Amino acid sequence: EVQLVESGGGLVQPGRSLRLSCAASGFTFDDYAMHWVRQAPGKGLEWVSGISWNSGSIGYADSVKGRFTISRDNAKNSLYLQMNSLRAEDTALYYCAKDNKKWGSSSDPYGMDVWGQGTTVTVSS
Amino acid sequence: QSVLTQPPSVSAAPGQKVTISCSGSSSNIGNNYVSWYQQLPGTAPKLLIYDNNKRPSGIPDRFSGSKSGTSATLGITGLQTGDEADYYCGTWDSSLSARVFGGGTKLTVL
């Protein structure tokens, strides 16, 4: 079964850091670009960051640039999001998602065909 | 405020047809493929349409996509109560160097 499972969310104070993880199974992880997409409570989807299959291409939304770092470990079939200097507006459900075509970059307009269940990040004092 | 504009809500009766629009610009829809997603309440998004008009396996042909210029449209025929969900368009924006989503459209099947 193709699956993505996020972890690492929680309650954190403004200015602190958090690291999210996404464990992939059921597909050849290192063939696909991966993304983090978030959804604030009651709001729409917001793309956060994407990384190509070989980590050669990485992109970030302006809202997180300079604060968040995406990475992947293909040997461990895992995707990560290091979140620093967290703000209240980063409070959201964070999903990891897989591109639906192989060997894409973070800038390809591909669909995202597999999504995890999400992990909740709450930034509050 | 998203660079892709969708109507906040649409509604139609069971069995009828509905269309959801997604308006953008030359930096996004005009020069890139569009995808569509369905998000049922309390669940993760699901890919309905990719490359403007292609359906992943398992998606019924009641769902269709089209693109013209800087706008895209999702069509749903034979509406069912189970189609009540939020629908999002998405693509790449070359000016922002970012993947972008529309603000979402809530479909109500009356």
Side-chain angles (χ1 to χ4, degrees):
Chain A
E1 179 190 6
V2 176
Q3 196 172 13
L4 296 172
V5 179
E6 302 93 337
S7 60
L11 173 63
V12 62
Q13 293 179 328
R16 303 298 291 263
S17 299
L18 209 57
R19 188 193 196 208
L20 305 184
S21 299
C22 172
S25 60
F27 65 98
T28 305
F29 181 72
D30 53 11
D31 278 349
Y32 295 92
M34 298 292 296
H35 304 270
W36 289 99
V37 177
R38 69 184 181 185
Q39 188 168 34
K43 302 297 184 182
L45 303 176
E46 180 189 15
W47 179 79
V48 173
S49 182
I51 184 169
S52 63
W53 60 279
N54 62 353
S55 301
S57 169
I58 288 175
Y60 298 96
D62 284 345
S63 57
V64 307
K65 204 171 291 183
R67 300 188 298 123
F68 289 12
T69 302
I70 192 172
S71 62
R72 64 190 296 162
D73 186 336
N74 287 344
K76 295 183 177 180
N77 290 343
S78 293
L79 177 72
Y80 306 102
L81 186 68
Q82 177 66 42
M83 305 186 295
N84 298 333
S85 303
L86 281 162
R87 305 167 180 167
E89 53 264 37
D90 295 319
T91 294
L93 181 63
Y94 284 73
Y95 295 103
C96 68
K98 161 192 168 292
D99 263 357
N100 73 326
K101 296 182 184 179
K102 291 183 179 181
W103 308 310
S105 72
S106 63
S107 60
D108 285 317
Y110 296 162
M112 299 177 195
D113 66 344
V114 181
W115 296 66
Q117 84 290 348
T119 187
T120 298
V121 173
T122 302
V123 184
S124 174
S125 54
Chain B
Q1 191 81 358
S2 177
V3 296
L4 303 181
T5 301
Q6 298 181 232
S9 63
V10 296
S11 61
Q16 296 301 302
K17 174 182 178 179
V18 71
T19 60
I20 298 173
S21 61
C22 177
S23 178
S25 68
S26 58
S27 66
N28 42 66
I29 292 177
N31 285 285
N32 290 292
Y33 287 129
V34 176
S35 301
W36 288 92
Y37 303 86
Q38 175 194 61
Q39 187 175 34
L40 297 168
T43 69
K46 176 182 181 181
L47 180 65
L48 287 180
I49 298 288
Y50 68 97
D51 291 0
N52 302 333
N53 55 19
K54 297 177 182 175
R55 284 177 286 107
S57 60
I59 301 300
D61 59 7
R62 299 189 299 110
F63 296 90
S64 64
S66 64
K67 189 183 99 167
S68 178
T70 59
S71 292
T73 302
L74 173 70
I76 311 173
T77 60
L79 277 172
Q80 304 171 0
T81 55
D83 295 332
E84 285 202 335
D86 294 321
Y87 292 83
Y88 296 90
C89 56
T91 187
W92 170 258
D93 189 292
S94 57
S95 293
L96 298 174
S97 293
R99 298 266 186 126
V100 289
F101 291 100
T105 299
K106 183 177 182 60
L107 168 64
T108 301
V109 181
L110 302 168

